[in-house]
Amino acid sequence: WLELELKLVADVGIVGAPNAGKSTLLSVISAAQPTIANYPFTTLLPNLGVVSFDYDSTMVVADLPGLLEGAHRGFGLGHEFLQHTERCSALVHVVDGSGLQPELEFDALRLELELFNPELSEKPYVVAYNKMDLPEAYEKWPLFKETLENRGIEPFCMSAVKREGTHEVICAAYELLRKSKGEKEEFEGPKDFVNLNRIAEMVNKKRSASINDFEILHDSSSNTWHVVGSGLQRFVQMTNWRYMDSEIRFQHVLEACGVNKSLIKLGVKEGDTVIIGEMEMVWHHSANISGLSNVKKDSVDSIKWPQWK
């Protein structure tokens, strides 16, 4: 069983409580058109937007659904939302300035990220105090700013709905992203240029390998012969062994490509095990060669494979 998780690949993730203005911010800084309404959880799935600064400076921003207290335990589909933040290089914390205690909302969000994955709390982030167009948010801004500055955090204020202060926020996020990528490249050091198509070329080589191209290995301790070849292995994998004619057809192929002749030349004996791909067979010498091609009926060295394991 395989458990697959979809994690969006974004440079910057916008996180915050429900109805904090995350979708509005994304719609202002990019061409994305997320659903925006004046009630919580209008965003049920992450939205992506591309922010362009000039012709060669862009970044992908993800608007992530709102997080509730207990999100790290899965409350409010928290796991489905939080897992996307793991792929982001930087975060933008959008704080609802019209809330009762914006600083506690920010602390609760930071705690949820840390409890879900401690590495998330180490990601660089920008704090964006939103809804400055509302009187209650405007009044609480000085206290919020002072509280965070005392902790060494420089917050930004903005009104996403009026497009005020949003450019400064996203520029700060872009600078964090550039700094994060620069530190990562410096940590990883210079990369050696290698052939990135090597796996594709290897697969293509195996697909185009001829069934006549094989080698035979012998294990004398167990009387086992291994016939190794990409073409033969591919033939075994592509054969539907539920049909009786498949076995006869396979015998013809072994005879035609020279496997039988090579085994006899190397000294295969009655009862030896022969392994080709995923098939394990027992070798028999018999005078009864009915159904085999390219073999004389009176030959005592004719081959058939009556027993399959």
Side-chain angles (χ1 to χ4, degrees):
W1 289 90
L2 296 177
E3 182 177 346
L4 305 180
E5 291 186 355
L6 173 64
K7 296 182 181 181
L8 296 180
V9 180
D11 297 315
V12 175
I14 304 177
V15 296
N19 205 33
K22 302 181 297 298
S23 298
T24 304
L25 176 60
L26 181 67
S27 68
V28 169
I29 62 177
S30 71
Q33 297 180 344
T35 302
I36 300 174
N38 190 25
Y39 55 83
F41 292 109
T42 53
T43 301
L44 297 178
L45 296 172
N47 297 301
L48 291 178
V50 178
V51 180
S52 299
F53 295 94
D54 51 50
Y55 70 94
D56 63 347
S57 299
T58 61
M59 67 178 180
V60 180
V61 180
D63 162 31
L64 305 178
L67 300 174
L68 299 176
E69 184 177 356
H72 69 281
R73 299 193 302 269
F75 185 71
L77 299 178
H79 285 179
E80 295 187 17
F81 299 164
L82 283 167
Q83 67 182 5
H84 298 290
T85 61
E86 295 178 328
R87 298 298 298 271
C88 299
S89 299
L91 301 174
V92 174
H93 291 281
V94 177
V95 179
D96 185 356
S98 64
L100 296 177
Q101 294 179 298
E103 60 275 4
L104 295 184
E105 175 185 310
F106 169 72
D107 290 338
L109 177 61
R110 294 294 301 169
L111 180 61
E112 290 299 327
L113 293 176
E114 183 176 2
L115 291 175
F116 177 73
N117 185 347
E119 293 182 0
L120 293 179
S121 62
E122 300 177 1
K123 289 182 180 291
Y125 63 90
V126 173
V127 181
Y129 183 90
N130 191 28
K131 301 188 180 180
M132 285 291 286
D133 54 294
L134 300 179
E136 54 269 33
Y138 184 83
E139 294 173 0
K140 296 174 184 176
W141 164 243
L143 178 60
F144 180 84
K145 180 181 180 182
E146 181 182 359
T147 301
L148 265 65
E149 285 180 341
N150 290 336
R151 294 158 56 181
I153 303 172
E154 185 66 34
F156 293 82
C157 63
M158 67 177 188
S159 172
V161 70
K162 287 191 174 183
R163 301 173 180 260
E164 296 176 353
T166 56
H167 182 70
E168 290 76 8
V169 170
I170 205 61
C171 285
Y174 181 67
E175 288 302 317
L176 285 181
L177 178 63
R178 290 180 56 186
K179 184 178 179 181
S180 176
K181 288 184 176 180
E183 291 177 351
K184 184 178 180 181
E185 291 175 357
E186 182 178 351
F187 175 77
E188 293 178 350
K191 297 181 179 179
D192 296 330
F193 291 97
V194 295
N195 180 13
L196 299 180
N197 295 323
R198 61 188 183 279
I199 295 183
E201 292 174 354
M202 179 181 66
V203 172
N204 186 57
K205 182 178 179 180
K206 288 186 176 181
R207 286 179 175 176
S208 59
S210 171
I211 60 174
N212 297 316
D213 185 11
F214 62 87
E215 62 177 329
I216 299 178
L217 307 176
H218 182 217
D219 183 2
S220 57
S221 61
S222 59
N223 293 325
T224 302
W225 301 79
H226 294 269
V227 182
V228 182
S230 299
L232 282 173
Q233 183 176 357
R234 186 176 70 252
F235 184 86
V236 171
Q237 293 172 340
M238 295 176 63
T239 300
N240 189 343
W241 298 101
R242 291 179 298 177
Y243 297 101
M244 296 183 60
D245 291 344
S246 298
E247 181 180 342
I248 300 176
R249 179 169 174 257
F250 190 47
Q251 294 177 32
H252 293 335
V253 170
L254 296 181
E255 184 70 29
C257 69
V259 171
N260 292 350
K261 184 177 180 180
S262 297
L263 286 169
I264 295 173
K265 185 178 181 180
L266 291 173
V268 66
K269 298 179 181 179
E270 178 78 17
D272 284 359
T273 300
V274 179
I275 299 177
I276 304 177
E278 299 176 355
M279 303 303 297
E280 182 175 329
M281 298 155 282
V282 177
W283 179 275
H284 289 286
H285 294 287
S286 174
N288 181 11
I289 59 169
S290 176
L292 294 181
S293 60
N294 299 328
V295 180
K296 296 181 180 180
K297 292 187 177 181
D298 57 354
S299 173
V300 295
D301 293 328
S302 305
I303 308 303
K304 66 177 182 178
W305 308 88
Q307 181 177 348
W308 296 79
K309 293 184 179 181

